[in-house]
């Protein structure tokens, strides 16, 4: 099943550094695909870029619950650099 059109719109907003718009679009993606770990991971990345640490951590937590391999993405994704020092990030990453 192809990704919802909002996924492309979210990526376009992200590319334009409009992280709040990216989050809004990505939340619609999550509503349509609540068990898609990548949808939650991308929401975490957008939230981290927007400085919304709590939201980023919650989206990461949900992504990991769905698929623990998300931890591999967490290790290297620069979008998450703003939340790496958060104790909750360290707990999720282990």
């Amino acid at each position: 099943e192809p990704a919802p059109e909002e996924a492309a719109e979210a990526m376009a907003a992200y590319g334009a550094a409009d992280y709040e718009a990216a989050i809004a679009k990505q939340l619609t993606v999550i509503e349509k695909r609540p068990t898609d770990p990548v949808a939650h991971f991308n929401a975490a990345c957008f939230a981290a870029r927007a400085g919304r640490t709590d939201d980023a951590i919650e989206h990461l937590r949900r992504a990991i619950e769905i698929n623990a391999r998300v931890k591999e993405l967490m290790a290297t994704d620069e979008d998450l650099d703003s939340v790496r020092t958060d104790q909750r990030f360290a707990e999720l990453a282990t």
Side-chain angles (χ1 to χ4, degrees):
E1 166 186 352
E5 64 185 75
E6 289 88 356
E9 293 170 1
M11 280 297 179
Y14 166 83
D18 187 349
Y19 304 122
E20 292 295 341
I23 294 165
K25 295 289 185 185
Q26 195 65 22
L27 291 177
T28 302
V29 176
I30 288 171
E31 285 175 18
K32 294 181 177 183
R33 302 177 85 160
T35 60
D36 181 349
V38 174
H40 288 278
F41 182 79
N42 286 344
C45 290
F46 302 154
R49 286 285 187 185
R52 291 167 56 171
T53 301
D54 291 346
D55 291 340
I57 295 294
E58 283 309 308
H59 287 298
L60 285 175
R61 180 173 285 123
R62 185 73 190 104
I64 291 166
E65 284 172 0
I66 298 166
N67 188 335
R69 291 191 64 189
V70 166
K71 293 180 184 186
E72 297 171 21
L73 300 174
M74 286 173 63
T76 57
D77 198 308
E78 292 179 0
D79 288 330
L80 299 172
D81 285 354
S82 71
V83 298
R84 280 187 198 286
T85 58
D86 191 288
Q87 181 62 34
R88 296 167 295 175
F89 184 95
E91 291 165 3
L92 288 173
T94 55

